[in-house]
Amino acid sequence: MACAAWRNKIGAYADGELSAEDMLDVGEHLRGCASCTADLLSRVQMKRSIQTAGKRFSPSLALRQRIEKGLPPQKKPARLWNWMATLAATCALLLIVSLTFYRSGASQQGRTFAELADLHVTTLASATPVDVVSTDRHTVKPWFQGKIPFAFNLPELGGTPFTLEGGRMAYLEQAPGAQLIFKIGNHRISVFIFQDRRDRRFAPGDTLSRNVTFNMETWAGDNLRYFVIGDADPGDIHKLSELLKSTAGS
Amino acid sequence: MRGSFEELAMPLFDSLYNFARWLTHDREEAEDLVQETFTKALKGFPSFRQGTNFRAWMFRILRNTFLTSRTGLKSGMTVSLDSEEGESAAAVTAETPESLLLAHSNQKMVQEAIEELPVIFREVILLCDVEEMSYQEISETIAIPIGTVMSRLARARNALRQSLTKKLQGE
């Protein structure tokens, strides 16, 4: 069967709508056809992009309350628990909720760090690590205008051991942001800047993590979330972070 | 009765509101639409057949309510669907690879492109990719055959791709 005929099925394959038999057939074809695999990949990327962009609106609490009020009153439980049982249940629930939040927060944090480490490595491995090549912050910063939905400041590096190499667009969980490459000695450090999200939790205050092999520091300010990552000395990562912090608020 | 209705319906509240906002483009209208949907659904719940798809039922009520609203009537749901039934999904074969397209487009651009789609395309793409409904569920929600769901989805994605391409070229 020609690729054009397979393409008929690839849309449904990406949507998970083929029969088990067809799924196997398409899977078999994909293993040997780079063109159809690229087509599938692009469709999946499009779906993901739509999914992220489409979850856009959240209802107000007032609307929720209005709707709940419109529902008939709930039947009272036949028997009230005694206060001891209620207290014990509440304590247990609080414990479970705390543990769940702690664990999900920690794993989410780990995923974010791992994703950023991947982005950093990919950039260093790339033949064109930066899209805007300049050591001048007044060239790099305006390049991002219109490409990302926020603005940021960059520090004056004169008199510091750091040099700016340039910048590029980066995406974290489908959200656009800036990636800046700094150099110190033979080490390259990536600085990622994204809009801060309330649902993305990090340990309070600045975080220095060695969990991802690289040294990393992160903080939030002015609704932006900064990540500084690289294989440079933790002291250098911290110095660059401090430089960025001092400029961010200015 | 309330317990079961509330248990089934309230988890859909956020999704229904998101869908309503995409349909109406207006916060107040979306709120009225969701409220009316819940009122109608509660009223009709005794006739809801247990074992059938509750989510598709709720979304269908919301969509039908929207269609009879002033905005719904003006929304262009009556655009020509010539040859819809016969259109092949192959027609959507990418001329511009989405990987390139999406690398250069941002979330806001995709949102604008979705917003600009005709309602019949916008709804099918949102139900499939955002609500992750199966073709069968979409077919139940918007009352069209599964074959039409597939071809309409293909046309919607094609239109979205063209819109994104134009936006990128216009940058």
Side-chain angles (χ1 to χ4, degrees):
Chain A
M1 198 184 334
C3 282
W6 286 106
R7 298 277 161 93
N8 274 331
K9 293 189 172 179
I10 288 177
Y13 183 88
D15 289 332
E17 289 280 347
L18 287 183
S19 67
E21 196 181 334
D22 281 346
M23 290 287 271
L24 283 175
D25 287 348
V26 173
E28 183 76 17
H29 172 73
L30 287 171
R31 271 191 286 280
C33 179
S35 161
C36 285
T37 306
D39 183 70
L40 172 66
L41 181 68
S42 66
R43 285 171 195 264
V44 171
Q45 281 178 320
M46 178 70 110
K47 276 177 75 71
R48 281 192 189 152
S49 189
I50 293 167
Q51 189 179 44
T52 309
K55 285 179 184 164
R56 182 179 180 186
F57 305 107
S58 300
S60 66
L61 182 63
L63 177 64
R64 179 180 284 273
Q65 286 169 341
R66 227 163 52 221
I67 285 185
E68 283 175 343
K69 211 173 154 191
L71 301 173
Q74 211 161 13
K75 282 179 197 163
K76 286 187 178 165
R79 200 164 42 135
L80 285 174
W81 292 3
N82 68 46
W83 70 270
M84 284 289 281
T86 309
L87 186 65
T90 309
C91 289
L93 187 65
L94 277 175
L95 186 66
I96 291 166
V97 168
S98 312
L99 279 172
T100 309
F101 270 89
Y102 175 76
R103 284 186 182 170
S104 72
S107 69
Q108 181 202 36
Q109 183 170 317
R111 275 201 306 275
T112 303
F113 287 172
E115 198 172 334
L116 290 166
D118 285 348
L119 284 173
H120 177 64
V121 172
T122 312
T123 303
L124 296 191
S126 164
T128 51
V130 285
D131 292 330
V132 51
V133 186
S134 175
T135 55
D136 181 5
R137 62 182 174 142
H138 300 297
T139 304
V140 173
K141 192 184 149 189
W143 182 82
F144 285 99
Q145 275 176 13
K147 295 187 175 70
I148 52 174
F150 58 86
F152 57 86
N153 287 326
L154 285 175
E156 173 54 54
L157 297 173
T160 74
F162 300 101
T163 47
L164 177 63
E165 294 207 316
R168 66 187 293 166
M169 293 277 293
Y171 289 85
L172 180 65
E173 293 164 4
Q174 308 277 346
Q179 180 180 6
L180 303 153
I181 311 293
F182 292 86
K183 197 173 177 190
I184 179 165
N186 287 324
H187 300 282
R188 284 192 173 79
I189 301 174
S190 283
V191 173
F192 293 97
I193 310 174
F194 295 96
Q195 282 175 310
D196 198 24
R197 282 171 34 180
R198 274 176 296 171
D199 60 335
R200 197 192 284 147
R201 293 186 301 276
F202 293 92
D206 298 351
T207 310
L208 194 61
S209 166
R210 287 166 185 268
N211 296 342
V212 289
T213 312
F214 295 105
N215 294 305
M216 180 186 286
E217 201 159 324
T218 179
W219 70 94
D222 293 335
N223 296 320
L224 297 178
R225 166 66 62 178
Y226 294 76
F227 301 92
V228 180
I229 180 169
D231 62 350
D233 185 76
D236 291 333
I237 297 280
H238 185 64
K239 256 188 246 166
L240 182 58
S241 302
E242 289 302 312
L243 275 170
L244 286 157
K245 279 183 212 174
S246 64
T247 321
S250 61
Chain B
M1 180 65 78
R2 189 242 184 174
S4 50
F5 176 77
E6 185 173 356
E7 279 164 22
L8 289 168
M10 284 315 287
L12 301 173
F13 171 65
D14 286 15
S15 300
L16 287 164
Y17 177 79
N18 185 52
F19 189 56
R21 273 295 290 270
W22 277 111
L23 291 181
T24 59
H25 294 312
D26 182 85
R27 187 178 62 82
E28 277 183 25
E29 267 190 70
E31 290 194 347
D32 290 347
L33 181 54
V34 172
Q35 191 155 11
E36 201 175 336
T37 300
F38 271 79
T39 307
K40 282 183 180 170
L42 180 64
K43 210 171 160 190
F45 191 55
S47 63
F48 169 73
R49 281 179 294 128
Q50 298 288 339
T52 55
N53 192 315
F54 184 77
R55 181 164 70 141
W57 185 69
M58 286 293 284
F59 273 84
R60 188 165 68 239
I61 294 173
L62 186 139
R63 180 181 181 269
N64 290 344
T65 308
F66 167 70
L67 289 183
T68 52
S69 72
R70 203 153 48 91
T71 313
L73 290 169
K74 282 197 297 185
S75 67
M77 293 293 278
T78 52
V79 298
S80 166
L81 296 176
D82 287 352
S83 80
E84 182 168 69
E85 306 294 331
E87 182 155 338
S88 154
V92 304
T93 303
E95 284 173 13
T96 308
E98 280 87 342
S99 48
L100 278 181
L101 203 66
L102 293 169
H104 291 92
S105 57
N106 56 36
Q107 188 169 315
K108 191 164 175 285
M109 196 183 276
V110 178
Q111 284 172 345
E112 282 171 4
I114 298 173
E115 209 159 83
E116 287 161 15
L117 286 175
V119 181
I120 55 158
F121 288 166
R122 202 185 317 143
E123 64 174 3
V124 80
I125 229 168
L126 289 168
L127 292 175
C128 184
D129 290 342
V130 179
E131 294 310 321
E132 298 183 83
M133 282 190 180
S134 64
Y135 292 170
Q136 176 63 40
E137 278 181 293
I138 299 172
S139 153
E140 286 174 31
T141 302
I142 58 182
I144 54 173
I146 287 182
T148 312
V149 171
M150 292 172 74
S151 54
R152 200 176 286 184
L153 256 177
R155 292 178 70 196
R157 285 171 174 157
N158 213 16
L160 189 71
R161 185 183 307 106
Q162 282 171 8
S163 167
L164 282 172
T165 308
K166 268 189 202 157
K167 283 178 188 298
L168 285 167
Q169 284 167 350
E171 260 191 334

